[in-house]
Amino acid sequence: MWRCSSFLFSLVRPLNRRIHPQLALNRFEFAQHFFTTEILRTANEGVFSKRTSPFIAFVLGGPGSGKGTQCMMIADTFGFTHLSAGDLLRKEMVSDGENGVMIRNSIKEGKIVPSEITIRLIQKAIESSENYKFLIDGFPRSDENRIAFERIVGVEPDLVLFFECPEEEMMKRVLSRNQGRIDDNIETVKKRLQVFHTLNLPVVNYYSRKGKVHKINAVGTLDEIFEKVRPLFAAFSKDGPRN
Ligand SMILES: Nc1ncnc2c1ncn2[C@@H]1O[C@H](COP(=O)(O)OP(=O)(O)OP(=O)(O)O)[C@@H](O)[C@H]1O
Ligand SMILES: O=c1ccn([C@@H]2O[C@H](COP(=O)(O)O)[C@@H](O)[C@H]2O)c(=O)[nH]1
Ligand SMILES: [Mg+2]
């Protein structure tokens, strides 16, 4: 679906620009204009069947709060595509791309990679997907990230999940994760927690004021936490339409 819109967008973009800059459509506007009918025809998921743009849930929480773990369970159960911003950056980091070294240094220091880079990776993943429902895990990390996403991609999240977890628990989980991540060490975790408080939380507060945040107590077994998450996605099914 979105891959298709991207291809067609690339065909009409020069035309848009020649006509009038204000008439140029961004990619999602284009998808809305040209694919509304198809979504209406194929969708079969209650209130969301009338959607004309992708369904986007931002999944936020401190390091080790369980975002990735719960996203995998949501994706498996409800047919979402799970896009972890951190995973996309780690993949880019080991590719031959020009930003590899900068991304590695940022992750090692627990710093936030420039918005344009992360957004480009997320946007590419959305556009190349057949799906229309996405979990964006670990993004936006700052108000600057959030504003850039809204400006570049032109959509707001439909809901925001926030996993609330005590610091000692997050620290314990990260330090016993054992996946070979370069930021799973005590020095980097301390920095990441600081960034979480100063830059990530304002994003949660912003969406709270807009009534979009669903706060989940992230302490408990995986299944206990998933049972709190489940009702938020009840309108979706695993075998629901992907295009
Ligand atoms: N409810 C839980 N109880 C105990 N351990 C958990 C729980 N949820 C996840 N974990 C474990 O904690 C570690 C961190 O979880 P996860 O990778 O899902 O966190 P995250 O929020 O994605 O972290 P990061 O932001 O660092 O990517 C993993 O080893 C995971 O298996
Ligand atoms: O939007 C993002 C997401 C992540 N980063 C960088 O990656 C690491 C790890 O992210 P996880 O989500 O915990 O896997 C994070 O500390 C940042 O350095 C980012 O810059 N922007
Ligand atoms: Mg994660």
Side-chain angles (χ1 to χ4, degrees):
M1 172 67 62
W2 308 107
R3 177 171 48 206
C4 187
S5 72
S6 171
F7 168 69
L8 288 174
F9 178 83
S10 68
L11 294 181
V12 298
R13 185 166 40 188
L15 186 63
N16 278 334
R17 290 228 169 109
R18 271 204 307 276
I19 295 168
H20 192 291
Q22 283 182 333
L23 289 180
L25 304 173
N26 74 31
R27 284 161 193 240
F28 284 117
E29 285 167 342
F30 178 81
Q32 284 173 23
H33 279 258
F34 288 85
F35 289 91
T36 303
T37 321
E38 193 170 344
I39 289 176
L40 280 170
R41 186 159 45 79
T42 57
N44 182 26
E45 299 202 297
V47 292
F48 302 118
S49 63
K50 292 192 173 62
R51 296 195 61 79
T52 55
S53 56
F55 182 97
I56 290 186
F58 285 158
V59 181
L60 304 177
S65 58
K67 303 180 293 296
T69 304
Q70 291 296 323
C71 279
M72 283 195 274
M73 295 170 82
I74 301 166
D76 274 358
T77 310
F78 297 109
F80 274 68
T81 293
H82 172 202
L83 300 177
S84 156
D87 285 350
L88 291 170
L89 287 167
R90 281 182 284 274
K91 215 163 139 197
E92 185 70 8
M93 176 179 92
V94 295
S95 74
D96 276 343
E98 53 179 343
N99 297 311
V101 173
M102 183 274 292
I103 293 173
R104 174 179 292 276
N105 291 338
S106 300
I107 291 179
K108 186 86 183 59
E109 289 304 310
K111 291 186 178 153
I112 297 174
V113 170
S115 296
E116 280 67 21
I117 293 174
T118 313
I119 292 167
R120 182 170 44 75
L121 296 172
I122 293 172
Q123 194 170 24
K124 210 165 123 194
I126 290 175
E127 286 172 0
S128 61
S129 172
E130 301 271 316
N131 208 343
Y132 75 98
K133 44 194 182 189
F134 299 93
L135 302 166
I136 303 187
D137 160 8
F139 179 92
R141 285 299 233 253
S142 66
D143 275 329
E144 198 271 329
N145 267 179
R146 172 182 65 73
I147 291 163
F149 184 85
E150 287 169 5
R151 174 173 51 81
I152 296 169
V153 181
V155 289
E156 278 218 12
D158 295 273
L159 69 86
V160 178
L161 267 184
F162 173 54
F163 289 106
E164 198 171 39
C165 196
E167 244 180 52
E168 317 78 69
E169 178 67 18
M170 293 197 273
M171 187 84 100
K172 196 175 86 189
R173 289 183 191 176
V174 166
L175 295 179
S176 52
R177 181 158 41 192
N178 233 348
Q179 287 176 359
R181 278 176 52 163
I182 55 172
D183 52 349
D184 281 354
N185 59 74
I186 187 95
E187 294 76 26
T188 312
V189 179
K190 282 183 183 162
K191 290 176 185 164
R192 296 176 68 201
L193 285 168
Q194 208 166 351
V195 168
F196 168 65
H197 286 290
T198 56
L199 297 174
N200 303 174
L201 280 179
V203 178
V204 178
N205 294 336
Y206 171 84
Y207 287 122
S208 277
R209 290 193 293 276
K210 299 195 100 186
K212 293 194 173 191
V213 173
H214 296 266
K215 200 186 278 188
I216 306 284
N217 178 351
V219 181
T221 65
L222 306 194
D223 287 341
E224 281 167 354
I225 295 160
F226 186 63
E227 287 313 312
K228 295 185 238 174
V229 167
R230 186 192 290 278
L232 300 172
F233 296 94
F236 295 98
S237 67
K238 183 178 174 56
D239 303 320
R242 285 184 173 269
N243 54 10

